[in-house]
Amino acid sequence: MALSVWSVWSLITAGSAGAVAELTLDPKLKYWVLLPISIVMVLTGILRQYIMDLIAPNTKGVPRVKLTESQWIYKAQALLANGSNLSAEAFQLRKEHLIEVLAGGKYLVKLNTDGQAPSPLSDPNLSENMFSMAKGNLANFIPQTIIMWWVNHFFAGFVLMKLPFPLTPRFKEMLQSGVMTADLDVRWVSSISWYFISVLGLNPVYNLLLSDTESIDINAAQQPPTMGGPGEPQPEAVMKGLANDLTIAENESCFDDIEQRVLEKYS
Amino acid sequence: MSSIDEITSSDYVLGNKKSLLWVQDSTALVFGIGAGILQLESFKGFAMFVVGYLSVALLYIIWICRLQPAKYYQSPINDIFIESFVRELTGYVMAWTFSYALVG
């Protein structure tokens, strides 16, 4: 019983029944095949990262007139909310000026789309996004294909290394391509399988080589809020409404009778 | 008052995940190289990965998060234990295979 348990255990740990045929590999294989493939793959990944950075779409800006427009709206809202902190005179001045600006539509962005919603397909930002996605896919795809061809072409037809874990015979065709042995254990694999393992496993390496963990990119996520997107109220209507609100706004300044209140408090 | 607790900065959520990922990536590669140098095979190698991965996650919670992972991660179990498991496993297997072939 103990013996059978032991044999099952050794079968699990050794991974396959029976002894694995030991091959003696030329140690130069390590230095002239394994290392070059690894180095090329790491360098290609780094190069691809830099190319992706270069062809990445520029951070989208908002046109200045659009910003001016929304800033005026915020200014009116701020005056309505916090006007009590101003003296009556100052509030009156600001109020008159803002009413004039907002009701007159002085800083309103002139749109040349005659009230029509822009078609989502003709939006230049969107097409630019799709284009950059296609470029990103190409930048992923082309180097992979080239390296695979390179490995298959130059390093085919011999056993490169022994995997430390067993695989099912199903993998034999893929991982031992070009090795003409019918019943060699699947753990002995050719160079293309090192390529596959690298493709799967190099992400952590890239992360360690390329990322700067210390700095958190504050600027990346911040987009200035803008008014007048689809579904939002149009800035013209907002401005008109704010002008009306300002016209009827009553100002109760916190400075009214402030001397009296201070004297009462500290007397 | 309660809404104050729920405010999160997406930049810092991402930053915390990034620092965790850096720790996991480097340790997975180091464990992989170690397993290859030790010439571990099949089951022992994967066991070493699981043990190493779990102990690194626990050490991260104890040492870096100071036992309060919920303070830094929105769903601690998922973020620390599950999310990058496959990624670290493939990285580990790559490093393991590489050093196993170089040393052996």
Side-chain angles (χ1 to χ4, degrees), chain A residues 9 13 30 34-35 38 161-166 187 194 197 200-205 207-208 212-213 216 221, chain B residues 11-12 15 18 21-22 25-26 29 40-43 46 87-88 90-91 93-94 96-98 100-102 104:
Chain A
W9 175 249
T13 49
K30 294 171 195 167
L34 189 60
L35 280 180
S38 318
M161 62 202 291
K162 184 186 175 193
L163 291 182
F165 48 88
R187 292 177 64 179
W194 173 240
I197 291 173
L200 289 176
L202 272 177
N203 278 334
V205 179
N207 182 25
L208 295 187
D212 43 347
T213 50
I216 295 171
Chain B
D11 292 326
Y12 286 97
K18 232 171 148 183
L21 195 64
W22 196 87
D25 281 349
S26 50
L29 291 179
L40 299 182
E41 292 194 0
S42 54
F43 181 74
F46 290 111
R87 171 195 169 100
E88 307 309 341
T90 50
V93 166
M94 187 204 68
W96 178 25
T97 316
F98 183 68
Y100 184 85
L102 277 190

Side-chain angles (χ1 to χ4, degrees), chain B residues 16 19-20 23 56-65 73 80:
Chain B
N16 289 341
S19 63
L20 170 66
V23 170
V56 163
L58 288 178
L59 276 178
Y60 189 86
I61 289 174
I62 293 169
W63 194 4
I64 297 180
C65 297
Y73 297 97
I80 297 179

Side-chain angles (χ1 to χ4, degrees), chain A residues 210-231:
Chain A
L210 294 171
S211 74
D212 43 347
T213 50
E214 297 304 319
S215 69
I216 295 171
D217 200 358
I218 297 289
N219 295 325
Q222 282 188 352
Q223 283 280 342
T226 51
M227 305 286 293

Side-chain angles (χ1 to χ4, degrees), chain A residues 4 10 28 33 35 38 49-51 97 106-107 122 140 142 158-159 165 181 189 203-204 208-209 219 234 247 259:
Chain A
S4 68
S10 63
K28 279 189 176 167
V33 180
L35 280 180
S38 318
Q49 183 65 40
Y50 283 123
I51 290 176
H97 180 56
K106 192 175 170 188
Y107 292 102
S122 66
N140 265 326
I142 292 175
F158 54 86
V159 168
F165 48 88
T181 47
V189 291
N203 278 334
L208 295 187
L209 287 178
N219 295 325
Q234 288 303 304
T247 325
E259 301 91 341

Side-chain angles (χ1 to χ4, degrees), chain B residues 30-90:
Chain B
V30 167
F31 277 124
I33 291 170
I37 292 172
L38 293 173
Q39 296 283 297
L40 299 182
E41 292 194 0
S42 54
F43 181 74
K44 283 180 194 164
F46 290 111
M48 176 164 171
F49 169 73
V50 171
V51 169
Y53 184 81
L54 289 181
S55 53
V56 163
L58 288 178
L59 276 178
Y60 189 86
I61 289 174
I62 293 169
W63 194 4
I64 297 180
C65 297
R66 310 235 170 243
L67 288 175
Q68 289 172 313
K71 207 169 155 187
Y72 306 102
Y73 297 97
Q74 283 167 325
S75 53
I77 298 291
N78 186 34
D79 285 350
I80 297 179
F81 289 99
I82 299 170
E83 199 172 273
S84 49
F85 184 82
V86 174
R87 171 195 169 100
E88 307 309 341
L89 180 63
T90 50

